[in-house]
């Protein structure tokens, strides 16, 4: 109690006797004592205690006030509505407009016992406890933004659409009226915000306006929010402004730390990243996790904080500031404005992990298009696709693509979301496409919808890089149009195929033809009726070379060539992966193809494989990351929806530890893959070989339990 309250400060003293007389008539309150809460920069807040009860009083500060500020009547109204709706707020008890009682308007509410974390870094807590606290805070914010305004009887509480423009205008006026000197960065920031207002500022929810961790009261022992405090700035408008304001400490500069609650959260173990908090918030609200124009809301949050800091200093100059260190707040206005300008321009990011490797502007635009397409068309089709494969699980029809996927492919191509994996066609970098591959990995059939499915992607890359003009015309062009599929035959059953120099399938020159003999398996995609060609890695019998890496070649074999036989589909955990064309054992018995089908030339197989495997590993790993993210989402949903021993599953430390471990492993894999993509873009395949070697192991772990290798791993 002593560390949260102090004796009433001189400038905020009032007639306690008059207050006691008033409360005695209203609440039958007995003799009371008054102490002032040490925190709070705006409306002074006091702990009122009687022998039997404790209350909290909020009042306007004395003296001349800024226009439109310190509306305690609005606080009382919104808390009353929220309390009646079951939202966690202190119960409001009375509102007094008679300034004769204590000199200003005030309201009284119940005193809620619990923990208030003034230091946002949560010192003394375990990483798991920190995570649970921040997750609980985001969950209650999402709950606030999901409330129905009509049911709250708060119609007319705010002005609705156009919130962002009003906020920029309001805080510009507040800053201007309180400014003690001209700060060019604040003027520039105000202009930028007004010129870059969100195009779709029509969403309207109840907005807290000052949602911070230290404005929440937590259960004494659990990571559960008991009450949300300080509703002075509440209104109706765009909820993303609240979310960005809550995320602001993640971007706070280390050099600027007036108080612990205004310090940087960077590097604090257990505090979730910006990306994780956004994901949790969006999942709780049931909205897409891609928040549009987030940089605007981030910049607006810092502008608002700079305006608040200027107001605190102005109250210091007037002699009625609540904060004991109010004089120092003038020092942070300009630095905050400069951080906001960096956020506005996208040159400053929080500790979200993957932001170390940034997409190009074009890549970001395409990624957003893919996310929108997935949400609108692909994900809703999953149930129908699942029904198709369940219905035909025991028939040959399972190897055919269901019509709904074919229809989606037409839509994707019309939308320009086609062959995104191939830089020569899409104009995207490998790093750009890595993020897209992660998104499509969240649905098993999504890559095919965009004509970005393996092994066709790798085969198209081979033909694009190494194919002759005739090979491109005959095979690459129909593959790019999505008219046919292909397979890749490399791994063999009779040798240790992890060492690709062991491959024994032979290639023998016979005048104008090549004759192929051998066995392959785990040939992905071979079962599709539309699979028309295979790229086969063979050992050239006609070459006598000393290097093990100069004895192999790659050659194109049409699937209807005599002697080529699909023996059987292989299964993993009983599944034959028909949705991807299966993984077949293929035999070649005196298969004869024209010499013109050789790719690049005899002995060039490893050279081709290296060019093919680099991007292929990236695509596989990022799709696996997307699938892992989906699995973790499902785990979190389960942990948040089920209770044991009086707590949600995620509130049990062992479950929270599992979730944290999953998050760490996913982030590590994503960063490793993005690093490889960046190296491939900036230094080329050869220079990126080290990064791709590590991805080789990642691909083996995440693709068919290490058994399949359509990339020949």
């Amino acid at each position: 109690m002593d560390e949260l309250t102090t004796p009433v400060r001189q400038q905020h003293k009032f007639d306690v006797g008059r207050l006691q007389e008033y409360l005695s008539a209203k609440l039958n309150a007995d003799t009371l004592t008054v102490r002032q809460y040490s925190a709070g920069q705006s409306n002074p807040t006091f702990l009122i205690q009687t022998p039997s009860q404790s209350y909290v009083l909020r009042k306007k500060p004395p003296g001349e006030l800024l226009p439109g500020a310190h509306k305690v009547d609005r606080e009382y109204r919104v808390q009353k509505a929220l309390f009646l709706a079951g939202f966690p707020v202190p119960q409001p008890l009375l509102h007094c407009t008679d300034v004769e009682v204590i000199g200003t308007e005030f309201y009284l509410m119940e005193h809620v016992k619990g923990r208030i974390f003034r230091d946002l870094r949560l010192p003394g807590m375990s990483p798991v406890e920190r995570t649970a606290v921040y997750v609980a805070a985001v969950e209650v914010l999402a709950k606030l933004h999901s409330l129905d305004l009509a049911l709250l009887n708060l119609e007319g509480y705010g002005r609705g659409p156009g919130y962002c423009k009003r906020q920029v205008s309001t805080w510009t006026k507040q800053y201007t009226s309180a400014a003690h000197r001209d700060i060019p960065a604040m003027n520039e920031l105000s202009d930028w915000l007004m010129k870059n207002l969100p195009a779709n500022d029509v969403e309207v929810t109840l907005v807290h306006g000052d949602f911070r961790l230290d404005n929440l009261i937590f259960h004494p022992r659990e990571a559960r929010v008991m009450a949300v405090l300080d509703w002075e700035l509440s209104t109706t408008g765009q909820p993303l402004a609240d979310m960005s304001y809550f995320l602001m400490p993640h971007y706070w500069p280390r050099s600027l730390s007036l108080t612990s609650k205004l310090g940087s959260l960077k590097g604090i173990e257990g505090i979730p990243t910006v990306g994780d908090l956004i994901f949790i918030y969006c999942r709780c609200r049931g909205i897409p996790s891609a928040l549009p124009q987030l940089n605007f809301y981030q910049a607006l949050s810092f502008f608002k904080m700079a305006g608040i800091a200027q107001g605190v200093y102005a109250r210091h100059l007037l002699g009625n500031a609540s904060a004991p260190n109010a004089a120092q707040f003038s020092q942070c206005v300009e630095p905050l404005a400069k951080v906001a300008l960096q956020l506005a321009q996208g040159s400053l990011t929080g500790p979200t992990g993957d932001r170390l490797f940034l997409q190009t502007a074009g890549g970001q635009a395409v990624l957003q298009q893919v996310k929108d397409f997935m949400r609108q068309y692909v994900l809703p089709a999953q149930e129908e696709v699942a029904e198709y494969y369940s219905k035909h699980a025991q028939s040959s029809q399972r190897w055919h693509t269901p019509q709904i996927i074919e229809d989606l492919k037409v839509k994707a191509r019309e939308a320009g979301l086609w062959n995104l994996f191939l830089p020569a066609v899409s104009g995207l970098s490998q790093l750009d496409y890595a993020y897209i591959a992660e998104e499509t990995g969240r649905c098993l059939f999504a890559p095919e919808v965009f004509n970005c499915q393996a092994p066709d992607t790798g085969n198209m890359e081979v033909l694009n890089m190494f194919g002759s003009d005739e090979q491109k015309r005959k095979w690459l062009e129909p593959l790019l149009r999505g008219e046919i599929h292909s397979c890749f035959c490399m791994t063999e059953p009779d040798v240790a195929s992890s060492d690709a120099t062991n491959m024994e399938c032979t290639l023998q020159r016979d005048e104008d033809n090549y004759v192929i003999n051998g066995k392959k398996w785990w040939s992905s995609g071979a079962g599709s009726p539309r699979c028309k060609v295979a790229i086969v890695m063979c050992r050239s019998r006609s070459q006598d070379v000393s290097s093990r890496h100069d004895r192999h070649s790659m050659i194109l074999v049409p699937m209807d060539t005599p002697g080529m036989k699909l023996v059987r589909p292989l299964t993993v955990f009983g599944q034959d992966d028909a949705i991807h064309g299966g993984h077949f054992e293929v035999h070649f018995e005196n298969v004869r193809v024209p010499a013109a089908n050789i790719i690049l030339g005899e002995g060039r197989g490893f050279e081709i494989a290296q060019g093919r495997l680099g991007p292929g590993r990236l695509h596989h790993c990022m799709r696996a990351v997307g699938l892992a993210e989906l699995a973790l989402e499902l785990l979190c949903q389960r942990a948040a929806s089920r209770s044991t021993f009086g707590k949600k599953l995620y509130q049990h430390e062992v479950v929270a530890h599992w979730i944290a471990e999953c998050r760490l492993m996913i982030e590590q894999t994503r960063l490793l893959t993005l690093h490889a993509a960046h190296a491939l873009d900036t230094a080329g395949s050869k220079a990126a070989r080290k990064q791709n070697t590590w991805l080789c192991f990642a691909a083996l772990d995440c693709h068919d339990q290490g058994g399949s290798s359509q990339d020949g791993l």
Side-chain angles (χ1 to χ4, degrees), residues 373-568:
F373 192 94
M374 290 274 291
R375 182 179 68 254
Q376 186 174 359
Y377 300 113
V378 177
L379 299 181
Q382 289 184 108
E383 185 175 347
E384 184 174 339
V385 172
E387 288 177 358
Y388 175 90
Y389 284 103
S390 176
K391 177 180 178 181
H392 299 293
Q394 304 303 319
S395 75
S396 60
Q397 193 65 25
R398 71 187 187 279
W399 302 110
H400 293 261
T401 304
Q403 186 59 44
I404 187 171
I405 293 180
E406 296 296 340
D407 295 340
L408 288 174
K409 289 161 71 172
V410 173
K411 287 182 181 290
R413 189 170 184 180
E414 290 174 348
L417 302 176
W418 196 254
N419 296 324
L420 302 174
F421 70 95
L422 195 59
V425 175
S426 66
L428 301 175
S429 67
Q430 294 295 342
L431 185 60
D432 284 334
Y433 181 69
Y435 288 94
I436 294 169
E438 177 181 357
E439 188 65 25
T440 61
R442 297 172 64 86
C443 173
L444 288 176
F445 61 86
E448 183 173 357
V449 169
F450 304 104
N451 207 40
C452 292
Q453 69 283 353
D456 291 328
T457 50
N459 291 341
M460 285 188 270
E461 285 167 332
V462 166
L463 290 168
N464 181 66
M465 289 186 289
F466 307 113
S468 67
D469 290 342
E470 176 59 21
Q471 290 168 352
K472 291 178 180 179
R473 184 196 64 78
K474 189 172 183 178
W475 303 114
L476 177 59
E477 291 178 11
L479 281 168
L480 288 171
R481 292 192 296 267
E483 296 169 354
I484 65 171
H485 289 312
S486 61
C487 68
F488 188 67
C489 300
M490 185 170 181
T491 308
E492 297 182 5
D494 298 330
V495 297
S497 299
S498 56
D499 178 0
T501 61
N502 286 334
M503 302 303 175
E504 292 184 343
C505 182
T506 62
L507 182 74
Q508 179 71 49
R509 182 69 182 253
D510 183 15
E511 297 182 350
D512 292 333
N513 297 292
Y514 282 105
V515 180
I516 304 167
N517 282 281
K519 298 177 182 178
K520 299 288 184 179
W521 68 351
W522 298 107
S523 297
S524 300
S528 170
R530 297 173 66 182
C531 181
K532 301 301 181 184
V533 66
I535 295 180
V536 186
M537 188 166 185
C538 306
R539 180 171 178 172
S540 301
R541 294 183 62 184
S542 57
Q543 284 194 304
D544 183 17
V545 294
S546 57
S547 172
R548 294 187 305 152
H549 295 91
D550 293 334
R551 294 180 293 187
H552 292 77
S553 305
M554 288 196 185
I555 192 166
L556 291 158
V557 180
M559 298 299 288
D560 57 359
T561 306
M564 184 177 181
K565 181 181 180 183
L566 301 185
V567 176
R568 60 178 176 131

